[in-house]
Amino acid sequence: MTPAPASRRFPSLCHWGAFTATVENGRLVGCTPFPRDPAPSPMLAALPAMVHSPLRITRPAVREGWREGKPRTGHDAFREISWDEALDLVAGELTRVHAAHGPTAVFGGSYGWSSAGRVHHARTLVRRFLALGGGFVDQIANYSFGAAQTLLPHILGTFQPVTGRATDWPSVISNAKLMIAFGGLALKNSQVGSGGVGAHDTETWLRRARAAGVGFVNVSPVNADAPEFLDAEWIPIRPNTDVVLMLGMAHVLLSEGRHDTTFLERYCAGFDRFADYLVGKTDGTAKTPEWAEEICGVPAQKIRELARRAADVPTYMTATWSLQRAHHGEQPYWALITLAAMLGGIGLPGQGFGFGHGSIHGPGLPRLSLPGPEIPPPPNPAKCAIPVARIADMLLDPGGTYEFNGERLTYPDIRLVYWAGGNPFHHHQDLNRLQRAFQKPETVIVHESWWTPTARHADIVLPATTTLERNDVGGTSRDPFVFAMHKAIAPVGEAKNDIDIFAALAERLGYAEAFTQGRDEMAWCRLVYQGIRDGAAKKGIDLPSFQQFWAEGVIELPAPERDYVLMEEFRADPVAHRLGTPSGKIEITSDVVQRFGYDDAPPHPAWLPPAEWLGATEAQRFPLHLLTNQPVRRLHSQTDPGPVSVAGKILGREAIRLAPDDAAARGLRDGDIVRVFNARGACLAGVVIDSGLAANVAVMPTGAWFDPSPSGDGLDVHGNPNVLTPDIGTSRLTQGSSAQSTLVEVEKFVGALPPIRAFDPPSLARDAAPV
Ligand SMILES: Nc1nc2c(c(=O)[nH]1)N[C@H]1C(S)=C(S)[C@@H](COP(=O)(O)OP(=O)(O)OC[C@H]3O[C@@H](n4cnc5c(=O)[nH]c(N)nc54)[C@H](O)[C@@H]3O)O[C@H]1N2
Ligand SMILES: Nc1nc2c(c(=O)[nH]1)N[C@H]1C(S)=C(S)[C@@H](COP(=O)(O)OP(=O)(O)OC[C@H]3O[C@@H](n4cnc5c(=O)[nH]c(N)nc54)[C@H](O)[C@@H]3O)O[C@H]1N2
Ligand SMILES: [Mo]
């Protein structure tokens, strides 16, 4: 009998949950979910295969053809080099570009989710490294809620309500009778929290709400956006037209005198100007339910009923972040706040509005208001940043001007791109355009653990460890747990920790001390933990010593003594707790936004048709509205080659969901491979027929690894929908991502299926012996 291999267990964490890593013979063999987690994510099962995947980058590598200026195709060959050579190359390129062009020629925004561990958070580290090295061009806001992040300060004086700071579930459960969820409450999204999740309890809270008699309404093009146990009423809506439904409801409240005039006078500014728009004084069109029905497809009678119901019973309203990830995506958010103001429940227990309940783990979770574990990067001496989603515009148009939130700005001339902890060839829109934009810089440097599409577009690739290969501390302000993440296995291949790569580069560049501050890994872990401990101490909570925390692997912060209610203090005393807006009130009309004079961002909520939607002329050529939502089987593009994600593919391609009539009209059946296309590009996908979709709506999750066809015809053979999405800002006000405003056509794919190459490592030459 052979003895069982010695098995060791380590506490660990990723964005989709906490777990115990089981290690045998130096290999990760299993992930056992955190015992306190009532609904662990199935995505945990992808980790062992991913950590030991043949797609791991095991040695530093340089792209063949880089020095000769050959285009970056995503399928180039690489040559492996030693760490010494690689670090000299990177330090040399940074020095050369800084000397010749200054810090604004280095782009280091490096957007992306990186790891749940906060010491080794790659994006934070690259910004820290570049800031201390003289500066760089950064990225501000995010793809998640970029439009809201810039808009909400004009209306509420802060964007906190969009980050997940919401009225606690217990308050909603005891007080609300109706919850209207624009974009639904899909549990697939609450698998994930940036910085990790302790207990996945969104389902628990939703079930309690249902049991307490809260009625749910799911306003979404997708029925599956509400879990069945909610018995939600489904109101199918045309994508990107929620603002129209809300305006129709607002019109009912106003014309039937059901709006709360006292609340509007005391707590809001500019309702009268909005009312003039609502009744048609300003543009000759009254925003009646009949007007709304024509545009959003929801019957006028239904709009009336919903408005009356919301006025009759205590109502809580939420919207997913996806609503604002669309052209003119500010409008549904502004309209939702306005609608809640007209209903008068803002600041009362269980009423008013919130955001993100269907987007992420955490909104509504009772949690003490404490900062999560983090080490913010130092100030950037170059003082230059672009709105995150304007990256391709920046690369393609150096010196070009653009507008953003009241400012006219100029794009810098980028020579070097540095990315660690993100995958722009997943996250950005119009990837064929991004690929053209990526030809502009002289040098692209990427730290990655796997040969992702972004690593394949780099010139110098440095292999990074995964969280299992280092010690860290993880957690988020949206969750009451803080986790110790123990190093479970040795680095795979020659992979190094991002922090050590940057320290070695800083050493070569002469600022090692500033970068490391003399700390090693465990000293950083202690520092991060101490930050949480100090924050807790200020609230009178005594947390255990680092030693004890590290040994036990987890701490749980106590539950708050009373429910948090969004804007409760403002409601109680609007003078003492005036908002950070110019009027100190909720700005239903904003004079500041009016002064900007943007025709794509008026001073109050309004219907502005997006460039692409089912009512656009474009819809004659491309008659399906494509929603690219978050994937149920992975986090964005992470673990896409792993077993959990791959099990959801159809002949290796990403799935596209089509309504039965839309499929029948094109002669398509379940399992067919189709070409999804528009004027920007095309991708392959496998058909899934779904009777729970609004008419003319197609749904494809994001994150299939970009696999451009070698013929250069703009076809992605794997099913990455970002070859189809438009690369335009939400508006000049917020310049967010407009991913959800996409029209496409679908046709049966004929001919031999092209092979998927994204899951094979690139061709790798090796001319130096491993060190
Ligand atoms: N069409 C469309 N596009 C979208 C969206 C949409 O709804 N529709 N959603 C957008 C949103 S909200 C977001 S947040 C973005 C997400 O975009 P990203 O955050 O860029 O996507 P990820 O796939 O999470 O990429 C993270 C990368 O970091 C790498 N990584 C992880 N840990 C480490 C580490 O420790 N070190 C290093 N060096 N690398 C590491 C992973 O391997 C992975 O490649 O996508 C956006 N794109
Ligand atoms: N499993 C998993 N969960 C995730 C992520 C992941 O990659 N995987 N990513 C995380 C990240 S980074 C973020 S930012 C959040 C994003 O959270 P969201 O952006 O809110 O997520 P989505 O899944 O794109 O959208 C939620 C639902 O809104 C609906 N919807 C789309 N457009 C419209 C519209 O115009 N009107 C209405 N009424 N509904 C619409 C879609 O049917 C969709 O299912 O998700 C997080 N959660
Ligand atoms: Mo996001």
Side-chain angles (χ1 to χ4, degrees), residues 13 16-18 33-41 190-193 196-205 361-362 365 476 478-483 554 556:
L13 175 72
W16 48 98
F34 181 47
R36 295 279 305 281
D37 191 342
S41 166
S190 60
Q191 288 180 88
V192 163
V197 175
H200 289 90
D201 39 19
T202 306
E203 179 174 343
T204 313
W205 289 112
H361 166 79
L365 201 74
T476 156
R478 292 195 194 105
D479 190 270
F481 295 94
V482 181
F483 291 96
V554 57
E556 183 181 5

Side-chain angles (χ1 to χ4, degrees), residues 111-115 120 122 143-144 325 420-424 426-429 447-450 452 464-465 470 498 628-630 635-638 702 721-722 725 739-740:
Y111 181 79
W113 266 50
S114 314
S115 76
H120 290 283
Y143 283 79
S144 312
R325 204 175 304 112
N423 189 359
H426 146 65
H427 68 229
H428 196 56
Q429 284 55 70
H447 297 192
E448 251 299 347
S449 306
W450 294 274
T452 62
T465 52
R470 58 205 188 200
D498 297 283
T628 50
N629 63 356
Q630 306 295 343
L635 172 63
H636 316 129
S637 68
Q638 296 189 42
T702 58
N722 270 330
T725 50
Q740 305 304 353

Side-chain angles (χ1 to χ4, degrees), residues 421-435:
N423 189 359
F425 280 92
H426 146 65
H427 68 229
H428 196 56
Q429 284 55 70
D430 199 348
L431 290 180
N432 291 313
R433 180 173 191 256
L434 183 71
Q435 200 181 45

Side-chain angles (χ1 to χ4, degrees), residues 115-134:
S115 76
R118 298 289 113 161
V119 168
H120 290 283
H121 188 251
R123 185 187 187 211
T124 308
L125 292 172
V126 68
R127 291 153 99 202
R128 171 180 168 75
F129 167 73
L130 293 173
L132 293 172

Side-chain angles (χ1 to χ4, degrees), residues 106-440:
V106 175
F107 183 66
S110 190
Y111 181 79
W113 266 50
S114 314
S115 76
R118 298 289 113 161
V119 168
H120 290 283
H121 188 251
R123 185 187 187 211
T124 308
L125 292 172
V126 68
R127 291 153 99 202
R128 171 180 168 75
F129 167 73
L130 293 173
L132 293 172
F136 67 104
V137 176
D138 203 351
Q139 279 166 298
I140 42 174
N142 58 33
Y143 283 79
S144 312
F145 45 74
Q149 185 167 342
T150 304
L151 173 76
L152 258 47
H154 292 297
I155 310 173
L156 301 171
T158 168
F159 65 81
Q160 282 305 310
V162 77
T163 65
R165 199 68 189 129
T167 296
D168 285 346
W169 276 119
S171 172
V172 174
I173 291 169
S174 336
N175 297 285
K177 287 280 166 274
L178 173 67
M179 179 160 179
I180 307 176
F182 294 89
L185 293 157
L187 287 172
K188 71 175 172 68
N189 285 352
S190 60
Q191 288 180 88
V192 163
S194 172
V197 175
H200 289 90
D201 39 19
T202 306
E203 179 174 343
T204 313
W205 289 112
L206 285 175
R207 283 187 185 274
R208 280 187 202 164
R210 184 66 198 117
V214 179
F216 284 85
V217 175
N218 170 29
V219 181
S220 171
V222 179
N223 191 8
D225 279 342
E228 267 180 42
F229 63 79
L230 285 182
D231 307 315
E233 178 186 359
W234 180 33
I235 301 189
I237 186 168
R238 258 175 219 143
N240 292 191
T241 66
D242 298 77
V243 61
V244 170
L245 173 62
M246 294 172 194
L247 290 171
M249 289 172 71
H251 192 276
V252 174
L253 297 180
L254 182 67
S255 61
E256 298 183 359
R258 290 172 190 266
H259 58 306
D260 186 335
T261 48
T262 318
F263 185 89
L264 291 167
E265 270 161 35
R266 187 142 189 245
Y267 299 101
C268 304
F271 177 70
D272 38 345
R273 275 191 278 167
F274 171 71
D276 285 350
Y277 168 76
L278 212 50
V279 299
K281 259 194 211 160
T282 34
D283 63 355
T285 305
K287 312 302 175 300
T288 62
E290 284 71 22
W291 166 83
E293 171 176 349
E294 282 293 303
I295 300 171
C296 72
V298 179
Q301 197 43 38
K302 179 63 52 193
I303 300 175
R304 274 204 178 84
E305 269 169 38
L306 191 61
R308 289 174 187 157
R309 217 174 133 197
D312 285 348
V313 298
T315 297
Y316 188 58
M317 297 191 292
T318 186
T320 51
W321 294 342
S322 57
L323 259 68
Q324 51 83 69
R325 204 175 304 112
H327 197 206
H328 306 141
E330 304 86 2
Q331 303 311 321
Y333 267 44
W334 206 339
L336 186 73
I337 295 167
T338 302
L339 197 56
M342 290 177 78
L343 290 171
I346 296 174
L348 293 182
Q351 299 192 50
F353 66 90
F355 298 107
H357 294 77
S359 303
I360 199 121
H361 166 79
L365 201 74
R367 160 80 158 96
L368 283 180
S369 170
L370 280 177
E374 54 195 10
I375 311 174
N380 172 14
K383 292 194 175 61
C384 182
I386 59 157
V388 69
R390 301 279 48 83
I391 174 173
D393 286 357
M394 170 194 72
L395 293 174
L396 288 167
D397 189 19
T401 56
Y402 66 103
E403 282 173 276
F404 173 51
N405 200 18
E407 284 188 282
R408 175 168 280 268
L409 300 158
T410 305
Y411 286 123
D413 184 357
I414 299 301
R415 308 299 174 117
L416 185 150
V417 170
Y418 207 130
W419 224 294
N423 189 359
F425 280 92
H426 146 65
H427 68 229
H428 196 56
Q429 284 55 70
D430 199 348
L431 290 180
N432 291 313
R433 180 173 191 256
L434 183 71
Q435 200 181 45
R436 289 194 291 280
F438 255 66
Q439 309 308 328
K440 291 277 180 169

Side-chain angles (χ1 to χ4, degrees), residues 91 129 500-516:
F129 167 73
D500 297 326
I501 301 174
F502 289 126
L505 288 168
E507 175 83 50
R508 278 169 168 75
L509 295 164
Y511 60 96
E513 182 57 32
F515 182 79
T516 65

